[in-house]
Amino acid sequence: MDEEVARHGLKTVNITWAKSHLAVLRRALSEVGLHAVESPCAGDGAVRGDVVWVVTSDDVEKRLAALKKSQWLSHVPGISAVCTKQGLAEALAASGKDFAWAPKTWLLPRDLPSMLSFCEKHPRSPLVYKPSAAGMGEAVFLMLGSVDAERKVGMMKGQAAIAQRYIDRPLLIEGRKCDLRLYVVVLASAGTPWRGFVFHEGLVRICAQPYAPPSRSTLHHTAVHLTNTAVSSLQADGSSLCCTETLAALATRVGSEAWSTTWQEVQQILQQTLECCEPSVAPSPCSCFQILGADVLLDDKLAPHLIELNDLVSLKLGRTVLLDDPVVRELGLKKCSAPCFDHRPHAHAPSELDELVKVPLLVNTLRLVQRVNLQSGDVPSDALLHELPFDAL
C-alpha cells in the first residue's frame, strides 16, 4: 500500500452486503465512531465506503472487481480454499510436517482404503466423519470399526469429506465435552505477507448432554459428542443457557497458571496453521482483512488440538431455542419464519455471551484495521496492538 493511501483515515463502512453481520456491525460502528453507508444500486460498479463489508463468496467476487486502491474488503480473497475440512488438511499435509496437535485425518473418498485399514487395525478407535464444506454439525457422525465405517461412508455416496480421529479423553465441564471457538483476524494487502492476530476472548461451546466415551451404543448421540452451537442450542430440555461460556470463565475454572500455558500453546498452533495455509492462497490483490473461526479442542491435560478453521463465522447476535424452551414464554418470543438451519419450530433469544464476545470482537477488529491503515510501514506488533485485546501470531 502506498504512503498516500495508508495515511487516509477510515470514516465509513459500506453495510449493503453485511447480511447476517448487520446487527453486530451497526453496534460496532457506533462504538468505533465510523459511519455506515450503503450502495443499493451498485451492481458491478464502484461502491462507497472506506471499508466494504461482505459475507458471501458471490459478493466478494463482485465487490473485489470494483474495489478502489484506498478501500478495504472484509474478506481475504481465496482464503475459503483452506477453510474447508479438506482444504485445511491438505494445507497442513503440504507443509511436510507432522503436527502433534492435528488429529490424524483422511480425505474422502480418496483415502477410503487407508481409513478402512486403520479401522481394521484399531477397531476401538472412533473416527468422526465430516462433509468438507458443511457447517453447524450437518451430516457429521461417528464411526467405530471397519464395518461401521464402510457402511456409513458408503451412504454418503462419495461426497467430499474427511474422517478425523476422535480426540480421546476431552476436557469436561460439569461432565460435558467442550471445545473453544477462537477468533483470528487475518490482515493482508498487495505484496505483503499475512499478519494474524488472535482475539483474547472467545466462546467455550459445551455439549448439551453428559459425556460418554464413544461406543456402539453412544455413537449416534450427537448432543454428547458434538459441541456445535447449532446442535446444543436446539435441545428441548431448556438447558441451552448452559451450553456456552467465555474463555475468561474457562480460565477461572482451570486456574490462571494452567490457562497461561495452554494459551501459549494455542497461539503457537494458530501461528503454524496460518504459515501452512498462506502458500495455498494467491497473494491478495487488495487491502483486506477477515475474521476466521478456529475450533480448538482441549484434552483432559489441557493440551490443545486444532479441529477446524472456518471462514463463514457466525456473527449473529442471539441464540436459537425450541418453542418449548421456557425462555420463549418468559420473553414473549415469536416463532421464527425465516429460513434457518433447523426446520423444527423455533425462536431466537437474546444472548448475553454474544454481547460480551462478538460486539467487542468487531469493535476491536475495526480499530485494528484503522491503525494499520494509518501506518506507512511495517509497524511492530507491540505498537500496533497497544491496548487492543489481541495477541500477534
Coordinates of all heavy atoms in Angstrom, one line a residue, residues 335-367:
K335 N -42.3 -17.2 17.0 CA -41.8 -18.3 16.2 C -41.0 -17.7 15.0 O -41.5 -16.7 14.3 CB -42.9 -19.2 15.7 CG -42.5 -20.3 14.8 CD -43.7 -21.1 14.3 CE -43.3 -22.2 13.3 NZ -44.5 -22.9 12.8
C336 N -39.9 -18.2 14.7 CA -39.1 -17.8 13.5 C -39.7 -18.2 12.2 O -40.1 -19.4 12.1 CB -37.6 -18.3 13.6 SG -36.6 -17.9 12.2
S337 N -39.9 -17.3 11.3 CA -40.5 -17.6 10.0 C -39.4 -17.5 8.8 O -39.8 -17.7 7.7 CB -41.6 -16.7 9.7 OG -41.2 -15.3 9.7
A338 N -38.2 -17.2 9.2 CA -37.2 -17.0 8.1 C -36.5 -18.4 7.9 O -36.5 -19.3 8.8 CB -36.1 -16.0 8.6
P339 N -35.8 -18.6 6.7 CA -35.1 -19.8 6.5 C -33.9 -20.0 7.5 O -33.1 -19.1 7.7 CB -34.5 -19.6 5.1 CG -35.4 -18.6 4.5 CD -35.8 -17.7 5.6
C340 N -33.9 -21.1 8.2 CA -32.9 -21.4 9.2 C -32.3 -22.8 9.1 O -32.9 -23.6 8.4 CB -33.4 -21.1 10.6 SG -33.5 -19.4 11.2
F341 N -31.2 -23.0 9.9 CA -30.6 -24.4 9.8 C -31.5 -25.5 10.2 O -31.6 -26.5 9.6 CB -29.4 -24.3 10.7 CG -28.8 -25.7 11.0 CD1 -28.1 -26.4 10.0 CD2 -28.9 -26.3 12.2 CE1 -27.5 -27.6 10.2 CE2 -28.4 -27.6 12.5 CZ -27.7 -28.2 11.5
D342 N -32.3 -25.2 11.3 CA -33.2 -26.3 11.8 C -34.6 -26.0 11.4 O -35.1 -24.9 11.5 CB -33.1 -26.3 13.4 CG -33.6 -27.6 13.9 OD1 -34.9 -27.8 13.9 OD2 -32.8 -28.5 14.3
H343 N -35.2 -27.1 10.9 CA -36.6 -26.9 10.4 C -37.7 -27.1 11.4 O -38.8 -26.9 11.1 CB -36.8 -27.9 9.2 CG -35.9 -27.6 8.0 ND1 -35.9 -26.5 7.3 CD2 -34.9 -28.4 7.5 CE1 -35.0 -26.6 6.3 NE2 -34.3 -27.7 6.5
R344 N -37.3 -27.5 12.6 CA -38.2 -27.6 13.7 C -38.7 -26.2 14.1 O -38.0 -25.2 14.0 CB -37.6 -28.3 14.9 CG -37.3 -29.8 14.6 CD -36.6 -30.4 15.8 NE -35.3 -29.9 16.0 CZ -34.5 -30.3 17.0 NH1 -34.8 -31.1 17.9 NH2 -33.2 -29.7 17.1
P345 N -39.9 -26.1 14.7 CA -40.4 -24.8 15.1 C -39.4 -24.2 16.2 O -39.1 -24.9 17.2 CB -41.8 -25.1 15.7 CG -42.2 -26.3 15.0 CD -41.0 -27.1 14.8
H346 N -39.0 -23.0 16.0 CA -38.0 -22.4 17.0 C -38.1 -20.9 17.0 O -38.8 -20.3 16.2 CB -36.6 -22.8 16.6 CG -36.1 -22.3 15.3 ND1 -36.3 -22.9 14.1 CD2 -35.4 -21.2 15.0 CE1 -35.8 -22.2 13.1 NE2 -35.2 -21.2 13.6
A347 N -37.4 -20.3 17.9 CA -37.4 -18.8 18.0 C -35.9 -18.4 18.3 O -35.1 -19.2 18.5 CB -38.3 -18.4 19.2
H348 N -35.7 -17.1 18.3 CA -34.4 -16.6 18.5 C -34.4 -15.7 19.8 O -35.2 -14.8 19.9 CB -33.9 -15.8 17.3 CG -33.7 -16.6 16.1 ND1 -32.6 -17.4 15.9 CD2 -34.5 -16.8 15.0 CE1 -32.7 -18.1 14.7 NE2 -33.9 -17.7 14.2
A349 N -33.5 -16.0 20.7 CA -33.5 -15.3 22.0 C -32.2 -14.5 22.1 O -31.2 -14.8 21.5 CB -33.6 -16.4 23.1
P350 N -32.2 -13.5 22.9 CA -31.0 -12.7 23.2 C -29.9 -13.6 23.8 O -30.2 -14.6 24.5 CB -31.5 -11.6 24.2 CG -33.0 -11.6 24.0 CD -33.4 -13.0 23.7
S351 N -28.7 -13.2 23.6 CA -27.5 -13.9 24.1 C -26.6 -13.0 24.8 O -26.0 -12.1 24.1 CB -26.8 -14.7 23.1 OG -25.6 -15.2 23.6
E352 N -26.5 -13.1 26.1 CA -25.6 -12.2 26.9 C -24.1 -12.5 26.4 O -23.3 -11.5 26.4 CB -25.7 -12.5 28.4 CG -24.8 -11.6 29.2 CD -24.9 -11.9 30.7 OE1 -25.8 -12.7 31.1 OE2 -24.2 -11.3 31.5
L353 N -23.8 -13.7 26.1 CA -22.4 -14.0 25.7 C -22.1 -13.4 24.4 O -20.9 -13.0 24.2 CB -22.2 -15.5 25.6 CG -22.2 -16.3 26.9 CD1 -21.9 -17.7 26.7 CD2 -21.2 -15.7 27.9
D354 N -23.0 -13.3 23.4 CA -22.7 -12.6 22.2 C -22.4 -11.1 22.4 O -21.5 -10.5 21.8 CB -23.9 -12.7 21.3 CG -24.1 -14.1 20.6 OD1 -23.1 -14.9 20.8 OD2 -25.1 -14.3 19.9
E355 N -23.1 -10.5 23.4 CA -22.8 -9.1 23.7 C -21.4 -9.0 24.3 O -20.6 -8.0 24.1 CB -23.8 -8.6 24.8 CG -25.2 -8.6 24.3 CD -25.5 -7.6 23.2 OE1 -24.8 -6.5 23.2 OE2 -26.4 -7.8 22.4
L356 N -20.9 -10.0 25.1 CA -19.6 -10.0 25.7 C -18.5 -10.3 24.8 O -17.3 -9.9 25.0 CB -19.6 -11.0 26.9 CG -20.5 -10.6 28.1 CD1 -20.5 -11.8 29.1 CD2 -20.0 -9.4 28.8
V357 N -18.8 -11.1 23.7 CA -17.7 -11.6 22.8 C -17.8 -10.9 21.4 O -16.8 -10.4 21.0 CB -17.8 -13.1 22.7 CG1 -16.7 -13.6 21.7 CG2 -17.6 -13.7 24.1
K358 N -18.9 -11.0 20.8 CA -19.0 -10.7 19.3 C -18.9 -9.2 19.1 O -18.3 -8.7 18.2 CB -20.2 -11.3 18.7 CG -20.2 -12.8 18.6 CD -21.4 -13.4 18.0 CE -21.3 -14.9 18.0 NZ -22.6 -15.5 17.4
V359 N -19.6 -8.4 20.0 CA -19.6 -6.9 19.8 C -18.1 -6.4 20.0 O -17.6 -5.7 19.2 CB -20.6 -6.2 20.7 CG1 -20.4 -4.7 20.6 CG2 -22.0 -6.6 20.3
P360 N -17.5 -6.8 21.1 CA -16.1 -6.3 21.3 C -15.2 -6.8 20.2 O -14.2 -6.2 19.8 CB -15.7 -6.9 22.7 CG -17.0 -7.0 23.4 CD -18.0 -7.4 22.3
L361 N -15.4 -8.0 19.7 CA -14.6 -8.6 18.6 C -14.6 -7.6 17.4 O -13.6 -7.3 16.8 CB -15.1 -10.0 18.2 CG -14.5 -10.6 16.9 CD1 -13.0 -10.8 17.0 CD2 -15.3 -11.9 16.6
L362 N -15.8 -7.2 17.0 CA -15.9 -6.3 15.8 C -15.4 -5.0 16.1 O -14.7 -4.3 15.3 CB -17.3 -6.3 15.3 CG -17.6 -7.2 14.1 CD1 -17.6 -8.7 14.5 CD2 -18.9 -6.8 13.4
V363 N -15.7 -4.5 17.3 CA -15.2 -3.1 17.7 C -13.6 -3.1 17.6 O -13.1 -2.2 16.9 CB -15.6 -2.8 19.1 CG1 -14.8 -1.6 19.6 CG2 -17.1 -2.5 19.2
N364 N -13.0 -4.1 18.1 CA -11.5 -4.1 18.2 C -10.9 -4.5 16.8 O -9.8 -4.1 16.5 CB -11.0 -4.9 19.3 CG -11.3 -4.3 20.7 OD1 -10.6 -3.4 21.0 ND2 -12.3 -4.8 21.4
T365 N -11.6 -5.3 16.0 CA -11.1 -5.6 14.7 C -11.1 -4.3 13.8 O -10.1 -4.0 13.1 CB -12.0 -6.6 14.0 OG1 -11.9 -7.9 14.8 CG2 -11.6 -6.9 12.6
L366 N -12.2 -3.5 13.9 CA -12.2 -2.3 13.2 C -11.1 -1.3 13.7 O -10.5 -0.6 12.9 CB -13.6 -1.6 13.3 CG -14.7 -2.4 12.5 CD1 -16.1 -1.8 12.9 CD2 -14.5 -2.3 11.0
R367 N -10.9 -1.2 15.0 CA -9.8 -0.4 15.5 C -8.5 -0.8 15.0 O -7.6 0.0 14.7 CB -9.9 -0.4 17.0 CG -11.0 0.4 17.6 CD -11.1 0.3 19.1 NE -12.2 1.1 19.6 CZ -12.7 1.0 20.8 NH1 -12.4 0.0 21.6 NH2 -13.7 1.8 21.2

